[in-house]
Amino acid sequence: MNAPAWLVAVCATACLTLTVSAATVSAPSSSWTVLSGNYDYLADQQTGQPAGDIVGSGTNGGFFTTFNDNGSASNTDGTLGFRLRLDAAGGNKNNIAFDRVAWVGIDANNDAVLDAFIGLGMQGSSSTLGIYAPGTDLNTSPATTSVASTAYKSYSIDSSNYNYRPVDYTTDGGTTNDATTSTTGDPDYYLSFMVNFRDLVNFLGTKGISITDQSGLRYVVATSTQMNSLNQDLGGVNGGVNSPTSWSDLGGFSPTVSAHGTPVPAVPEPSAFFLGASSVLLACLRRRRA
């Protein structure tokens, strides 16, 4: 009897030691981990502002992650980073700047509910980078997702945790600096930011969710014009900022990966696990008797 595919995948993952290179916040995208998928449908953002439109697919990735353990052997600290590819520069030609909000929502226990948010807001004279709790809504779809008004943990923004620059495919990888046909001639821009992983671990612990840098996480990525909603563009979703359809059914979740960006197989329900494990054990016993 052959072992179920998911059981083989889980066992293989447990036995492998993977080395993943870390990137700085300004490093070329070739040293980041691209999260596969269509990030995003081109020119689908809701406010008519290309600087908030998440773009990219295939080799011209639209959503990336990276992790740096900072030389520590602990599996609950380090630096977790995200990078979005946006259709155009924000600000104006004399002062190019990211001038809106970016959100990364995190499903940390594979139940299709967003458990935490990492938010970057750069509006006017106000700027913030932090880890936020979900709001009191269900947080299972765009229409039911909300974010707490106050950060659980805030960070001072500097060149070590924030970067905004044009795409350069000669070093970043891909085939073009401009992934959209509607804005041909101007480069896309990368928005990158990083937070302390232990702070995320501690926050999720307050919700009864325990993670390490090897745990399976999946992400929702969005841009917004304000800090209390996801109202501009949703990564991997064609419009739908007010949709009641679940994040899963919309295709809004990234693949499930560790903090390092390594794919993590979905773990089945306990009953299915024990049934599969029992089948494998029974097959082994039969072979020994033969």
Side-chain angles (χ1 to χ4, degrees):
M1 180 183 295
N2 293 328
W6 60 261
L7 186 59
V8 173
V10 169
C11 294
T13 301
C15 295
L16 288 175
T17 300
L18 298 172
T19 301
V20 180
S21 60
T24 64
V25 73
S26 59
S29 289
S30 53
S31 61
W32 287 60
T33 299
V34 63
L35 296 175
S36 62
N38 184 11
Y39 286 97
D40 183 33
Y41 294 88
L42 305 181
D44 71 321
Q45 50 79 33
Q46 305 297 296
T47 62
Q49 299 170 324
D53 191 12
I54 305 167
V55 296
S57 62
T59 58
N60 299 299
F63 184 38
F64 303 78
T65 189
T66 192
F67 184 83
N68 193 328
D69 64 14
N70 299 325
S72 171
S74 171
N75 61 6
T76 57
D77 62 7
T79 305
L80 178 63
F82 299 99
R83 173 170 289 177
L84 287 64
R85 182 172 181 150
L86 302 172
D87 186 25
N92 57 63
K93 64 180 181 180
N94 296 319
N95 183 27
I96 291 175
F98 182 68
D99 55 2
R100 60 204 67 237
V101 180
W103 290 109
V104 176
I106 303 173
D107 175 11
N109 56 359
N110 202 41
D111 64 353
V113 178
L114 296 177
D115 303 303
F117 289 91
I118 296 174
L120 171 72
M122 305 285 283
Q123 298 170 295
S125 60
S126 175
S127 60
T128 182
L129 172 63
I131 297 172
Y132 290 77
T136 56
D137 295 330
L138 294 176
N139 296 293
T140 57
S141 70
T144 63
T145 291
S146 58
V147 186
S149 58
T150 303
Y152 166 81
K153 177 69 177 181
S154 296
Y155 305 93
S156 298
I157 298 175
D158 57 34
S159 60
S160 70
N161 60 17
Y162 168 75
N163 184 260
Y164 187 61
R165 65 169 178 83
V167 173
D168 180 358
Y169 78 91
T170 62
T171 55
D172 289 312
T175 59
T176 181
N177 291 335
D178 187 6
T180 57
T181 57
S182 60
T183 56
T184 300
D186 65 330
D188 300 334
Y189 264 68
Y190 282 136
L191 172 70
S192 310
F193 48 97
M194 293 179 163
V195 298
N196 186 301
F197 184 65
R198 184 177 292 278
D199 291 334
L200 178 62
V201 171
N202 290 342
F203 169 71
L204 290 171
T206 68
K207 297 170 63 68
I209 301 173
S210 177
I211 67 166
T212 71
D213 60 15
Q214 298 299 319
S215 299
L217 307 171
R218 54 181 180 167
Y219 306 117
V220 164
V221 59
T223 57
S224 180
T225 58
Q226 55 198 44
M227 288 298 296
N228 61 354
S229 68
L230 283 61
N231 69 355
Q232 189 162 20
D233 194 24
L234 306 177
V237 176
N238 191 6
V241 294
N242 296 311
S243 174
T245 304
S246 71
W247 289 112
S248 295
D249 289 343
L250 282 173
F253 280 119
S254 73
T256 301
V257 295
S258 71
H260 297 269
T262 306
V264 175
V267 178
E269 294 296 322
S271 58
F273 178 86
F274 287 117
L275 179 61
S278 298
S279 299
V280 174
L281 179 60
L282 180 60
C284 292
L285 290 174
R286 286 176 176 171
R287 287 181 180 177
R288 293 186 66 178
R289 290 176 179 175

